Structures are given as structure tokens and as C-alpha cells.
Amino acid sequence: MATNIALLAAEEGEKINPLLPATYDIVWSAICIAVIGFVFWKYILPKFQEVMAQRSELIEGGIKRAEEAQVEAKAALEQYQKQLADARSEAAQIREEARTQGQAILAEMKTKAQEESDRIVAAGHSQLVAQRQQIVTELRGDLGRTAVELAEKVIGEQLSDEAKRAGSIDRFLSELDSVTADSAAGK
């Protein structure tokens, strides 16, 4: 058919431009495009815009929720870090108190141990003094008897009289004490 139209046009003397379609094609194409454009603009475009608006709201809502969640997470992190710092400072304080109490207990135990040691040394010293006194008393008695026996042998008489014996022993011991004191002072 197009060839028929081209032959008819050629016979009539018109020149046909191969790039331009016939006028009736252009008019009917423009009417079709206008109808399709009107339907698209009236029905499809509003639905498209509504869907785009819903998606946009959904995306913006998601972004907003994500930002809120991020703010909440940041606040929770800050609160956690604050609690952690508080716990660390409290633990340090507890350790310091324990260290102080330990040092106080150690000092108290040292003081008690020193007191006990001093008490034991004092008891030992008093016991030593008592034993020394007892030994000195026993030695005086033994020395007195030995002195009486020696004196009886030297004098040749018996010192059986208790008063004489006590006087001789006391005199001998006094002389012995004075000799001991003189030798100690001479050192």
C-alpha cells in the first residue's frame, strides 16, 4: 500500500520526503499520544506519586527510627560507661579501704605481739630473778654448812650451838659479800 501511495504521489508530481510520514499518520499518532498521556496523567501518575510518597515516608520513618535507635544506643553506651567508671572507682575505694584496714590490723597485731613479747621477757626476767634468789639462798645455806664444817675442823671444837652457828655463818657471809663487793668495785 505504501508503494501505491508513493506511485500515486509520483504521478501527481509531488515529491515525497522519506523521512516525514503522511499527515494523517501524524494526526492520528498525536491523538493516540494525547489520549495515552491524558490517561497516564489522570490515573497512573497519581498512583505512582502515591506509591513514591509512601515509600519516601517509609524510608524517612526508617531513617528517623534508626537515628532514634542510634541516639538511644549512644545514651545507653554513655550510661554503661558511667556505670563502669563508677564501679571502677568504687572498687578502687574498696581496695583502698581493705588495704588501710589490713595495715591497721597488721599494726595492731605487731603491737600485740610486741606486748606479748615484752610480757614474756618480763615474766622470764622475774622468774630468773626468783631462781637466782633461790639459788643464792641455797648456796648460802650450803656455803654456811660447809663453812661450819671447815671451821669445826680448823678450830677443833664443835659448833653445835645453833646461835653460835648462825652468828658464824652470818659473819662469814658478810665478809664474803664485802669481799665480792670490793672485787666487783675494783674491776
Side-chain angles (χ1 to χ4, degrees), residues 68-81:
E68 290 173 357
Q70 188 176 14
V71 168
E72 288 176 9
K74 193 173 186 179
L77 178 64
E78 288 174 0
Q79 183 180 6
Y80 169 74
Q81 288 175 343

Side-chain angles (χ1 to χ4, degrees), residues 144-160 165 168:
R145 281 190 295 278
T146 307
V148 169
E149 289 174 2
L150 283 176
E152 286 177 350
K153 288 183 184 177
V154 169
I155 297 176
E157 76 180 63
Q158 191 163 10
L159 299 173
S160 59
R165 183 184 287 177
S168 298

Side-chain angles (χ1 to χ4, degrees), residues 21-172:
T23 307
Y24 66 90
D25 282 338
I26 293 175
V27 171
W28 283 110
S29 294
I31 291 173
C32 286
I33 287 177
V35 169
I36 291 173
F38 177 76
V39 169
F40 183 78
W41 181 74
K42 187 72 175 169
Y43 297 107
I44 296 175
L45 190 60
K47 283 287 188 185
F48 180 74
Q49 287 176 342
E50 183 181 329
V51 169
M52 289 299 286
Q54 287 175 350
R55 286 190 178 191
S56 178
E57 287 176 15
L58 184 65
I59 290 171
E60 287 175 5
I63 290 172
K64 192 173 185 180
R65 284 191 305 272
E67 287 174 349
E68 290 173 357
Q70 188 176 14
V71 168
E72 288 176 9
K74 193 173 186 179
L77 178 64
E78 288 174 0
Q79 183 180 6
Y80 169 74
Q81 288 175 343
K82 182 181 176 189
Q83 288 175 347
L84 184 62
D86 290 345
R88 285 181 179 162
S89 66
E90 186 177 342
Q93 183 180 7
I94 290 171
R95 279 193 306 268
E96 187 61 34
E97 287 176 6
R99 186 177 299 120
T100 304
Q101 288 176 352
Q103 289 174 348
I105 290 171
L106 185 63
E108 182 181 340
M109 290 178 73
K110 283 182 180 179
T111 303
K112 286 183 180 179
Q114 185 64 38
E115 289 173 358
E116 184 68 17
S117 173
D118 292 345
R119 186 189 64 76
I120 291 171
V121 167
H125 181 67
S126 64
Q127 187 178 8
L128 223 94
V129 167
Q131 285 179 351
R132 181 179 176 273
Q133 189 63 34
Q134 182 183 0
I135 290 172
V136 166
T137 304
E138 288 176 6
L139 283 177
R140 282 183 180 236
D142 288 346
L143 190 60
R145 281 190 295 278
T146 307
V148 169
E149 289 174 2
L150 283 176
E152 286 177 350
K153 288 183 184 177
V154 169
I155 297 176
E157 76 180 63
Q158 191 163 10
L159 299 173
S160 59
D161 186 13
E162 194 61 40
K164 287 183 183 178
R165 183 184 287 177
S168 298
I169 291 173
D170 287 339
R171 189 173 10 103
F172 178 74

